[in-house]
């Protein structure tokens, strides 16, 4: 009935969501700097007033709970703590946050979601509950999961969350037959791609794209990035036969370079490996499927072991299509420019073997929006063949 007053349970729910939304906002302030750690925010509330708040900023630095407790300056006794992720219960680079909250004497812990890290996985909540502190979980959980989708995915699968970026014309073309593609999209769309690079731990491309585009694959700073303190992603080149030249543009800056090749090629051309290492690359060799294609599943497993939460594919039709057909892309950002390139231009993705509609790669539209003169489609990939 319109105008009916909220009951106590509804008031508590609204209150919890209000302060959790604030904690999520704090966590987003360090969106580009926390990797490989998750993005976490914390708000301490006592007698209806915020007495302390904070966010985790960088790996190795204090967690959000510690920042909030320090801001509270000894006033946390009897307070409610709102945290976007379950407080850690183990010693890593920093002491357990669960213990810090217990020692501070909070009366109530409200969390958005349980930590998927096997080292925590409910143990932090259990420890706090065992100390006699009330625990409420699941407040704005969907928002908290989206904030850390890469971290959650890596903890659950052992592999990073994979996004791919493609730019195309209205008729589905990515470049002219000559390879000319700069620029299909406008400056606003290109700036948006910089954001995707900045939030990714690595950018993956193939040697053919590298040779054609001479891209550095770094994040080029813009007004929106100036204050973020972002870290440059690792540039990963898939080059099974060691064709990457040592004078490639990406060797001209300090951002890390990983070159993935086949062991047999390295055995035949050890001088190329030595030259690439001298140019600044870390050369990683795959023992199987040599002289063919890089094992993409093995690559992602290795990147997961390196604690990469999210990686971005910026590659041509063949490599991007291979990732998609292998069921290894979770999210696709498709930028569509208002122009037609014609039948002779290059297509968007190479998907060999797809001859029937039932074989088509399935995606779900998550978001569509204008970015300058262009349109950006955010697509979630489904029916992955993991």
């Amino acid at each position: 009935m319109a105008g009916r007053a909220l009951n106590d349970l509804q008031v508590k729910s609204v209150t919890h969501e209000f302060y959790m939304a604030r904690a999520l906002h704090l966590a987003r302030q360090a969106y580009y700097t926390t990797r490989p750690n998750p993005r976490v925010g914390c708000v301490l509330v006592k007698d209806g007033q915020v007495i302390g708040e904070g966010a985790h900023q960088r790996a190795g630095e204090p967690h959000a709970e510690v920042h909030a407790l320090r801001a509270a300056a000894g006033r946390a006794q009897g307070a409610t703590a709102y945290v976007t992720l379950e407080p850690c219960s183990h010693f890593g680079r920093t002491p357990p946050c669960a213990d810090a909250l217990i020692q501070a004497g909070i009366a109530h812990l409200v969390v958005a979601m349980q930590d998927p890290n096997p080292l925590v996985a409910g143990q932090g909540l259990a420890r706090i509950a065992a100390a006699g502190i009330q625990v409420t979980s699941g407040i704005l959980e969907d928002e908290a999961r989206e904030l850390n989708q890469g971290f959650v995915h890596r903890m659950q699968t052992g592999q990073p969350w994979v996004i791919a970026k493609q730019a195309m014309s209205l008729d589905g073309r990515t470049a002219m037959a000559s390879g000319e593609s700069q620029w299909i999209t406008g400056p606003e769309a290109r700036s948006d791609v910089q954001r995707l690079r900045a939030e990714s731990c690595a950018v993956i491309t193939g040697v053919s794209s590298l040779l054609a585009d001479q891209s550095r694959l770094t994040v080029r700073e813009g007004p929106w990035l100036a204050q973020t303190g972002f870290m440059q992603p690792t540039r990963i080149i898939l080059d099974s036969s060691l064709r990457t030249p040592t004078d490639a543009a990406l060797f001209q800056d300090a951002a890390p370079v990983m070159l993935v090749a086949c062991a047999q090629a390295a055995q035949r051309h050890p001088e190329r490996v030595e030259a690439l290492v001298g140019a600044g690359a870390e050369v990683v060799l795959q023992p199987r499927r040599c002289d063919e294609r890089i094992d993409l599943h093995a690559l992602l497993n290795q990147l997961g072991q390196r604690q990469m939460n999210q990686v971005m594919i910026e590659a041509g039709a063949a490599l991007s299509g291979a990732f998609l057909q292998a069921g290894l892309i979770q999210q696709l950002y498709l930028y569509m420019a208002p122009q037609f390139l014609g039948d002779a231009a290059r297509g968007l993705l190479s998907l060999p073997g797809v001859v029937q509609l039932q074989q088509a790669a399935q995606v779900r539209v998550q978001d569509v929006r204008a970015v300058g003169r262009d349109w950006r489609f955010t697509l979630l990939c489904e029916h992955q063949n993991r």
Side-chain angles (χ1 to χ4, degrees), residues 44 51 118 140 156 167 180 191 233 253 259 288 313 338:
L44 292 172
I51 60 171
L140 300 186
Q156 292 177 338
E180 179 188 0
S191 177
D253 52 66
L259 190 143
R288 294 181 294 175
I313 301 168

Side-chain angles (χ1 to χ4, degrees), residues 3 22 32 41 60 73 78 82 97 129 164 223 261 312 326 380:
R22 174 61 184 172
Y32 300 97
Y82 294 87
C97 291
M312 178 181 180
L380 291 176

Side-chain angles (χ1 to χ4, degrees), residues 279-321:
E282 175 192 2
V283 178
V284 176
L285 302 178
Q286 285 196 344
R288 294 181 294 175
R289 298 186 63 181
C290 290
D291 298 327
E292 298 178 11
R293 294 182 178 180
I294 300 298
D295 186 331
L296 302 182
H297 287 274
L299 171 66
L300 292 184
N301 286 335
Q302 186 171 25
L303 298 184
Q305 292 167 5
R306 291 181 178 226
Q307 297 186 307
M308 293 189 179
N309 294 329
Q310 175 175 302
V311 299
M312 178 181 180
I313 301 168
E314 283 197 68
L319 182 56
S320 297

